[in-house]
Amino acid sequence: MKKMAAISPKEIGILSSVIFLCYWNSLFCGFVFDDVSAILDNKDLHPSTPLKKLFQNDFWGTPMSEERSHKSYRPLTVLTFRLNYLFSELNAVSYHFLNVVLHAVVCIVFLKVCRLFMDTKISLLATLLFAVHPIHTEAVTGVVGRAELLSSIFLLAAFLSYTKSKGPDNSIVWTPIAVAVFLVAVATLCKEQGITVVGICCVYEVFIAQGYTFPVLWDTTLQILMGKGSIPYSMLQTLLKLIVLMFSTLLLVVVRVQVIQSQLPVFTRFDNPAAVSTTPARQLTFNYLLPVNAWLLLNPSELCCDWTMGTIPLIESILDIRNLATLLFYFLLGYLIVFSVRYSGDSSKTVLMALCLIILPFIPASNLFFPVGFVVAERVLYVPSMGFCMLVAHGWKKLSSNGLRTLSWIFLALVVFTHAIKTFNRNWDWESEYTLFTSALKVNKNNAKLWNNVGHALENEKNYERALRFFKKATEVQPDDIGAHMNVGRTYKNLNRSKEAEESYLIAKALMPQVIPGKKYAARVAPNHLNVYINLANLIRANESRLEEADQLYRQAISMRPDFKQAYISRGELLLKMNKPLEAREAYIKALELDRMNADLWYNLAIVYIELKDPSEALRNFNQALELNPRHKLALFNSALLMQESGSARLRPEAKRRLLTYVEEEPHDANGYFNLGMLAMDEKKDTEAEVWMKKAIQLHHGFRSALFNLALLYSQTSRELEALPVLDELLRFYPDHSKGLILKGDILMNQKKDIKGAKKCFEKIVEMDPNNVQGKHNLCVVYFEERDLIKAEKCLVETLALAPHEEYIQRHLSIVRGKIMALNTAGQSVPPKEGALTLPEQEKKQVEEKGKKKTPIKKLEDESNVPKANPPSRSKIGHVKSKPQQEKNIDREGQKKSTKEIKDIENKRVAALKRLEEIERILSGE
């Protein structure tokens, strides 16, 4: 082993510059492919999630205890994502920038490793080849590739530490070994392959540090077995170090098995077809994948982000010509292994360490010992490519020293340049999901998953027609792909083609594995495939006559997987719709047993308690949701409404705080400002209420409830004339707004003395609804004002028939009849004609003069004496609705809950809409 030379700042500068030139354009890429699950959908990144959850959940934020967990335990990698989120939330630039920096760090540490086995120039060459290799774009430009980057840093650091464990006179230095074991544990917490560095250290110890060759070891072993010699002291020391390494490895493995609770993740034949194939197809295919991966390192011209499903057809016969590639690969590998362990020169040592870096870190992803969830994955070649680059650099050295110096330099420059260009161009493929998956389809058209993913990208852009074509193509490529048929069904649903959607869901459902008695169903089906039952049920429950059928589908999904949380959630939604709140409560409680940290579940349970008329329990559950997610928008909004509706002055400050937080989250939602205005009206803060109402109207022109309540506020604060233009705007948008007409008529009659204008308002109300007691009564008052007492009496009699128990109508009828009697007693006739009372001029003047002293009609000021036009009152009663995790119902115009379901839960505030649109009904006293 060579003495490691220090790395100069010049070398660091060269590597950093080359890496920046190759990867600067990756900063313009977004979150694509697996980044969506690991970053955008992963709640473990949010500061509100306790840090301990990072060590309880997998890489994707799913609890390790759940069967649907991928069992990828990488808490330290997720921690770096969380630091990115703390710094820039979901701004992708910071995530990509940190990946590029980490790649530079890996290159520098790799250069230090190369210096142990190669000279300065060759080690720098190997590192340059590694820095620009196109196979790394998935690990560097794909944000989830950070697991490889971090694991590689600590893997190499652990190896470097272990190389210092040999002291003078072949003594053992334990501190570097302890540091190495610690770094191995850290590397493993970044990605599972980190543990393979222990094997690299063992090979290094035996063949490099101690200088043994295989022939020497063989002879020594034979001598010991034959009793002709004892174990050398140096070999005993080596064995001791190896035992320590193996024991620490065993301990890490035991801990890892405990973390995954002795369960392997569930993969299907769609993820890895060979894994479920029979002999010999399984063995032949898995062995063929080794030369496929080697070819990607040697010729990275056609790269693909996804190699699952039908990308590489199964090798089902030993006569398949591809088996020749497998044989050739094993021949070359065997030759290099024999060369490296048989001879003791520097060249054999370099080759041996290069082979260790290629083989050992790749073993967990090789499928040879246990199945993984992919066929080929370019990012798992990140560490193996280090050994490959060492072999290439070492071969270049041999070539250049054999009289081919000029040719070797030309070849080297060409390789580095073309690799750098390929890497730079490949980065652009990761700009968006559409560019990534369309680039993959250029390489491989036999992978249904790629057709599906292009469809998903188009679906996210609301381009459903084009998305449908790609989803249909996926079903053609892989007719038994359940997910593809589900995608077709969902897209038909988005296109409002329910019949075709149901047909596609039924095809997907028919492809589901049948239940086999005594065999665990969950082990044979991907958890997301069970969503076909959810999607089909969500579709057919739009038909009120098929609610029971939908419920049966939810129950079927639950029977297949009792831990299927989403089935309980969706069933709870349906049971609420079926007016079965008690059963809905049980469904949500069961879901909470599976996931008590889900704020949406606590929110939905709160909705159930509202349906059960238990506001205190509803508020408790809203509070629980807010403890888990303090900025849960719907919980903030609806809990504030619940506090407001309670009428408790003690709760108003907290209700206001929650509404203020809500408008911070949704600054363009007029509903939040409107309810702040209503709350201010409750607290008699009229100026503040006016500000909030105007803000709501500014954001939502024609906001019915805000316009009406602002007008009402003006009316109640003796600013009736300011209310008129607000009411005019309200009636321009909603000409049939009965309460607006009542309020406008009241102001016109009492403030503007415009009896005709008031009469038009009240007549329109009665025309729209002849049974509107308030409007009809006020029209009676208009007749009284016009002194048409006969018509006023008749009108009040009709009104009393509509509301026989209303004391004020009886009293006003008595007043009118008393007036008629007084006129009759005075010998005056009561004119039947509509319009003004017909009196002789002298008598009319007398009445007017008397009116100066004693007002015969008190213009609504004294209800105890005269008929009064009743002004409308405001109400603040509202309703909230259940919010499912994936889809929810829209309720508009005060109707009952609609069956229309949509996916984007945050873009719709159903509860607010229901409350605002129902104000008409509430104001009418229904």
Side-chain angles (χ1 to χ4, degrees):
M1 183 183 73
K2 299 179 181 295
K3 184 177 180 180
M4 184 173 63
I7 298 175
S8 67
K10 181 180 178 181
E11 291 172 318
I12 295 176
I14 291 173
L15 289 174
S16 300
S17 299
V18 169
I19 291 169
F20 176 75
L21 289 173
C22 287
Y23 285 101
W24 68 266
N25 59 334
S26 70
L27 302 181
F28 301 97
C29 298
F31 295 116
V32 297
F33 203 16
D34 290 340
D35 297 346
V36 176
S37 299
I39 308 296
L40 300 182
D41 298 338
N42 192 347
K43 294 181 180 179
D44 287 348
L45 272 62
H46 300 171
S48 58
T49 302
L51 279 174
K52 66 178 182 180
K53 286 294 178 183
L54 273 64
F55 295 88
Q56 296 173 352
N57 298 341
D58 66 13
F59 188 52
W60 318 98
T62 305
M64 295 291 290
S65 58
E66 293 190 12
E67 190 173 2
R68 63 189 179 93
S69 168
H70 200 273
K71 309 302 180 186
S72 303
Y73 189 64
R74 305 163 191 173
L76 295 186
T77 303
V78 179
L79 182 61
T80 65
F81 293 153
R82 183 163 174 145
L83 292 175
N84 272 119
Y85 187 91
L86 187 65
F87 176 73
S88 64
E89 293 193 350
L90 295 177
N91 184 346
V93 174
S94 72
Y95 294 81
H96 289 294
F97 177 76
L98 183 54
N99 272 25
V100 174
V101 171
L102 291 173
H103 180 53
V105 173
V106 172
C107 290
I108 293 169
V109 181
F110 177 55
L111 178 59
K112 292 174 71 70
V113 171
C114 290
R115 287 286 163 82
L116 294 173
F117 311 103
M118 298 184 288
D119 60 36
T120 302
K121 182 174 68 174
I122 302 304
S123 59
L124 180 60
L125 171 58
T127 307
L128 277 173
L129 287 171
F130 175 79
V132 302
H133 203 296
I135 203 73
H136 299 154
T137 51
E138 183 170 341
V140 180
T141 309
V143 177
V144 295
R146 187 177 300 175
E148 269 73 26
L149 304 175
L150 289 170
S151 180
S152 299
I153 291 172
F154 294 109
L155 181 150
L156 295 174
F159 176 71
L160 287 173
S161 178
Y162 185 81
T163 60
K164 301 174 183 177
S165 64
K166 182 180 178 181
D169 302 324
N170 207 27
S171 60
I172 300 176
V173 183
W174 289 104
T175 301
I177 295 177
V179 172
V181 170
F182 171 75
L183 292 173
V184 170
V186 174
T188 306
L189 291 175
C190 294
K191 191 176 181 183
E192 299 79 0
Q193 70 180 25
I195 201 170
T196 60
V197 71
V198 173
I200 298 174
C201 291
C202 290
V203 174
Y204 169 84
E205 178 64 32
V206 174
F207 294 99
I208 310 296
Q210 301 301 327
Y212 293 121
T213 61
F214 184 78
V216 171
L217 288 174
W218 181 255
D219 290 341
T220 304
T221 303
L222 288 177
Q223 292 291 327
I224 294 171
L225 292 176
M226 295 171 62
K228 296 180 180 181
S230 59
I231 302 176
Y233 179 71
S234 61
M235 188 172 288
L236 287 173
Q237 286 186 308
T238 300
L239 287 172
L240 179 60
K241 293 170 74 172
L242 294 181
I243 289 171
V244 171
L245 285 176
M246 299 307 295
F247 178 79
S248 62
T249 303
L250 181 62
L251 183 62
L252 286 174
V253 170
V254 170
V255 172
R256 182 72 173 82
V257 171
Q258 290 296 318
V259 167
I260 67 173
Q261 301 186 4
S262 303
Q263 293 179 345
L264 288 175
V266 177
F267 299 121
T268 69
R269 58 191 175 88
F270 302 108
D271 301 314
N272 191 347
V276 296
S277 299
T278 58
T279 303
R282 176 188 175 100
Q283 290 75 18
L284 292 175
T285 304
F286 281 157
N287 281 279
Y288 172 69
L289 294 180
L290 301 179
V292 169
N293 281 279
W295 181 251
L296 287 175
L297 290 173
L298 186 63
N299 179 30
S301 59
E302 292 187 338
L303 300 177
C304 182
C305 63
D306 194 305
W307 294 80
T308 57
M309 304 188 81
T311 303
I312 300 177
L314 295 174
I315 299 179
E316 299 178 310
S317 170
I318 58 175
L319 300 178
D320 193 311
I321 195 171
R322 290 175 292 173
N323 290 320
L324 293 177
T326 305
L327 293 174
L328 178 62
F329 170 80
Y330 275 115
F331 174 78
L332 293 174
L333 182 64
Y335 174 80
L336 291 174
I337 292 174
V338 170
F339 169 78
S340 62
V341 300
R342 186 173 183 179
Y343 304 103
S344 60
D346 288 344
S347 179
S348 62
K349 291 178 180 179
T350 301
V351 172
L352 179 61
M353 293 314 300
L355 290 175
C356 285
L357 285 170
I358 292 173
I359 297 170
L360 295 177
F362 184 73
I363 286 176
S366 67
N367 281 293
L368 295 177
F369 299 99
F370 49 82
V372 294
F374 52 83
V375 179
V376 173
E378 292 166 10
R379 62 173 174 258
V380 304
L381 295 174
Y382 188 76
V383 176
S385 68
M386 295 178 185
F388 173 79
C389 292
M390 288 178 66
L391 282 179
V392 172
H394 184 65
W396 179 86
K397 178 184 177 182
K398 295 292 184 181
L399 185 66
S400 62
S401 62
N402 290 333
L404 299 173
R405 185 177 182 83
T406 302
L407 182 62
S408 62
W409 274 107
I410 293 173
F411 173 76
L412 173 64
L414 185 63
V415 169
V416 172
F417 179 75
T418 56
H419 276 36
I421 294 298
K422 174 65 176 179
T423 297
F424 182 83
N425 290 332
R426 175 64 172 158
N427 289 332
W428 289 122
D429 290 341
W430 292 80
E431 184 178 10
S432 68
E433 294 207 322
Y434 181 77
T435 57
L436 178 64
F437 297 126
T438 51
S439 70
L441 281 176
K442 295 175 183 177
V443 176
N444 172 29
K445 292 181 170 58
N446 296 321
N447 187 340
K449 190 173 179 181
L450 294 176
W451 293 99
N452 279 320
N453 285 335
V454 175
H456 287 308
L458 293 168
E459 185 181 31
N460 292 336
E461 297 173 359
K462 311 298 183 186
N463 193 341
Y464 298 123
E465 292 289 353
R466 285 191 65 199
L468 182 61
R469 290 199 292 270
F470 280 90
F471 289 141
K472 283 187 172 182
K473 182 64 177 180
T475 63
E476 294 173 10
V477 172
Q478 187 91 31
D480 59 351
D481 182 4
I482 297 172
H485 290 287
M486 291 170 60
N487 292 335
V488 172
R490 186 182 61 255
T491 309
Y492 274 132
K493 180 183 176 184
N494 289 332
L495 291 170
N496 295 319
R497 295 165 65 178
S498 299
K499 182 179 179 181
E500 292 95 332
E502 183 173 351
E503 290 173 354
S504 297
Y505 285 141
L506 289 174
I507 293 173
K509 181 173 174 286
L511 291 171
M512 294 288 287
Q514 300 301 309
V515 177
I516 300 175
K519 187 169 184 179
K520 190 175 183 181
Y521 185 88
R524 301 182 300 111
V525 64
N528 62 310
H529 285 173
L530 278 174
N531 282 325
V532 66
Y533 293 95
I534 305 301
N535 294 348
L536 181 57
N538 290 346
L539 177 69
I540 66 174
R541 77 183 198 185
N543 187 336
E544 295 287 340
S545 65
R546 302 181 70 183
L547 298 183
E548 289 292 345
E549 185 180 348
D551 188 35
Q552 177 62 33
L553 287 167
Y554 291 136
R555 285 186 278 127
Q556 187 174 355
I558 291 170
S559 68
M560 291 177 172
R561 288 185 69 95
D563 64 344
F564 193 10
K565 179 180 64 180
Q566 186 56 43
Y568 291 105
I569 295 172
S570 298
R571 185 165 186 252
E573 297 289 317
L574 178 65
L575 290 170
L576 275 178
K577 184 176 181 178
M578 297 171 70
N579 197 26
K580 297 180 179 180
L582 291 175
E583 294 182 46
R585 181 181 63 181
E586 295 305 314
Y588 285 129
I589 289 175
K590 183 62 179 179
L592 281 168
E593 291 175 4
L594 299 171
D595 185 8
R596 296 192 65 81
M597 303 305 293
N598 190 319
D600 291 339
L601 284 176
W602 290 103
Y603 172 87
N604 283 358
L605 189 57
I607 300 304
V608 173
Y609 281 111
I610 288 179
E611 296 289 333
L612 291 171
K613 304 296 188 292
D614 191 345
S616 60
E617 191 64 23
L619 186 58
R620 188 186 71 81
N621 285 278
F622 278 138
N623 292 340
Q624 185 69 40
L626 290 170
E627 282 184 22
L628 295 171
N629 181 5
R631 305 190 84 81
H632 190 289
K633 298 174 187 177
L634 290 177
L636 285 167
F637 185 84
N638 289 304
S639 62
L641 291 188
L642 203 59
M643 292 176 175
Q644 187 178 1
E645 291 161 8
S646 70
S648 172
R650 177 178 57 85
L651 295 176
R652 286 175 187 164
E654 178 62 16
K656 182 178 181 179
R657 185 194 68 78
R658 294 186 182 187
L659 286 173
L660 288 171
T661 305
Y662 176 78
V663 296
E664 287 178 11
E665 293 292 307
E666 293 287 344
H668 302 295
D669 181 17
N671 298 325
Y673 300 101
F674 167 74
N675 284 284
L676 280 167
M678 298 294 283
L679 191 62
M681 290 177 72
D682 287 339
E683 296 179 319
K684 309 302 181 185
K685 297 179 180 179
D686 299 331
T687 302
E688 182 181 338
E690 181 182 358
V691 171
W692 292 126
M693 291 296 182
K694 285 183 175 179
K695 178 68 174 178
I697 296 167
Q698 179 184 351
L699 289 171
H700 181 188
H701 296 293
F703 193 158
R704 184 170 65 176
S705 297
L707 286 166
F708 175 74
N709 281 283
L710 179 60
L712 191 62
L713 174 66
Y714 286 146
S715 175
Q716 292 174 342
T717 53
S718 302
R719 299 162 64 186
E720 290 89 348
L721 297 183
E722 293 180 55
L724 281 178
V726 179
L727 288 169
D728 288 338
E729 184 178 358
L730 170 67
L731 295 171
R732 179 167 61 87
F733 284 100
Y734 308 99
D736 296 338
H737 195 288
S738 59
K739 294 300 174 183
L741 289 167
I742 288 175
L743 183 57
K744 181 179 180 180
D746 179 56
I747 295 173
L748 289 174
M749 187 162 61
N750 293 318
Q751 304 298 323
K752 298 277 288 183
K753 314 302 182 184
D754 184 358
I755 304 300
K756 290 183 178 179
K759 185 177 182 180
K760 289 181 180 179
C761 292
F762 298 140
E763 283 179 339
K764 185 168 185 178
I765 295 171
V766 175
E767 179 184 348
M768 292 186 301
D769 180 12
N771 295 324
N772 188 308
V773 175
Q774 194 173 2
K776 194 168 184 66
H777 169 267
N778 288 1
L779 183 59
C780 301
V781 175
V782 170
Y783 294 150
F784 188 86
E785 291 286 342
E786 292 178 333
R787 305 190 183 186
D788 191 342
L789 299 184
I790 298 298
K791 198 165 187 177
E793 179 188 25
K794 180 182 178 183
C795 178
L796 286 170
V797 169
E798 293 173 353
T799 306
L800 186 61
L802 295 174
H805 301 294
E806 291 291 349
E807 185 271 337
Y808 74 94
I809 300 176
Q810 297 176 5
R811 187 169 64 252
H812 295 171
L813 180 59
S814 299
I815 293 172
V816 171
R817 285 176 171 171
K819 183 65 176 174
I820 293 172
M821 187 178 297
L823 289 173
N824 289 334
T825 303
Q828 299 176 1
S829 62
V830 181
K833 180 182 176 181
E834 290 184 18
L837 191 63
T838 55
L839 293 174
E841 189 65 27
Q842 184 179 0
E843 291 182 358
K844 181 176 180 181
K845 182 178 179 180
Q846 182 180 3
V847 171
E848 290 174 352
E849 288 175 352
K850 288 182 179 180
K852 294 179 183 178
K853 299 178 182 178
K854 181 179 179 181
T855 306
I857 302 178
K858 294 199 173 183
K859 309 294 185 186
L860 312 182
E861 292 175 3
D862 185 356
E863 187 183 86
S864 62
N865 294 324
V866 296
K868 172 181 175 181
N870 293 327
S873 60
R874 75 180 179 91
S875 172
K876 53 189 189 318
I877 303 299
H879 288 269
V880 289
K881 286 190 59 181
S882 178
K883 168 181 162 307
Q885 200 169 29
Q886 293 180 336
E887 300 177 337
K888 67 177 184 177
N889 299 333
I890 301 176
D891 187 335
R892 299 183 183 275
E893 299 301 329
Q895 296 174 359
K896 295 182 179 179
K897 295 177 183 145
S898 170
T899 55
K900 181 179 178 183
E901 298 170 350
I902 59 172
K903 293 180 181 178
D904 188 358
I905 193 166
E906 295 299 341
N907 291 339
K908 304 292 181 184
R909 281 155 297 277
V910 177
L913 287 173
K914 179 157 187 173
R915 172 194 169 168
L916 301 180
E917 302 299 333
E918 282 191 340
I919 194 155
E920 294 287 306
R921 178 180 63 79
I922 295 164
L923 289 174
S924 299
E926 295 179 5

